[in-house]
Amino acid sequence: MVRRLPRFIAFVLLVILLLGSGKFIEAFISDSATRLAYQIRDEASALRRSHETKRTFVHRPKAWPDGLSGDYRIEIVSTPLNSPEHRSILTANSYDGPTRSGTSYHLNYVVVPQNLVVRHRQGEPTLVTLELNGDRISLTALP
């Protein structure tokens, strides 16, 4: 029993450390659309802190968990259930097939003035452009 106690304590400390890391939890329990929304949140915050007016960052979709593993598509579009100003992130594991995950979490941090769609081959990154206009940050391009 005495020998097992240090291992148990080490295990508990490791679990606490991992659970305390929000980035780890976000990556582990989210889907491809939500991981992009988390990155948009973080990059929007970095743009505000930088005092610049424009920021383009690289997004590399991950295959696991519940991610994009081949050719892929990212859409930031208004859906039939939403108003034109409410644009959700939708992701698909193909150029033109059905979307597999979606979120509107990014709308807590940015506005998206127009529908945006990008298609990439497996392994190609997506560039995302944010622009600061007054106190609003707009997601303006997926070049």
Side-chain angles (χ1 to χ4, degrees):
M1 175 70 178
V2 174
R3 289 183 181 170
R4 290 184 182 215
L5 190 56
R7 284 186 182 173
F8 177 74
I9 291 172
F11 174 76
V12 169
L13 290 174
L14 178 63
V15 168
I16 290 170
L17 178 67
L18 292 176
L19 291 178
S21 170
K23 301 289 184 204
F24 174 80
I25 296 299
E26 287 178 354
F28 186 70
I29 64 171
S30 60
D31 57 43
S32 56
T34 305
R35 282 192 293 276
L36 174 56
Y38 289 152
Q39 189 175 7
I40 290 168
R41 173 200 62 202
D42 296 344
E43 294 288 344
S45 177
L47 176 59
R48 281 193 194 284
R49 288 190 313 269
S50 74
H51 303 291
E52 296 175 350
T53 58
K54 190 173 185 179
R55 180 180 196 89
T56 298
F57 66 90
V58 176
H59 174 71
R60 295 184 188 281
K62 294 182 173 87
W64 187 89
D66 192 25
L68 304 174
S69 58
D71 296 345
Y72 68 96
R73 183 176 77 253
I74 297 173
E75 300 179 5
I76 306 180
V77 296
S78 57
T79 63
L81 300 176
N82 299 334
S83 67
E85 301 83 37
H86 184 105
R87 291 183 171 82
S88 296
I89 297 173
L90 304 170
T91 60
N93 241 349
S94 68
Y95 272 20
D96 55 6
T99 56
R100 58 180 289 137
S101 63
T103 186
S104 60
Y105 178 72
H106 62 291
L107 295 176
N108 293 306
Y109 307 95
V110 300
V111 296
V112 186
Q114 64 185 7
N115 289 340
L116 302 167
V117 178
V118 67
R119 293 170 174 81
H120 287 295
R121 295 283 179 210
Q122 181 177 357
E124 293 178 345
T126 294
L127 297 176
V128 181
T129 300
L130 303 177
E131 294 185 30
L132 181 62
N133 301 312
D135 63 341
R136 289 177 44 166
I137 295 179
S138 300
L139 193 159
T140 57
L142 295 175

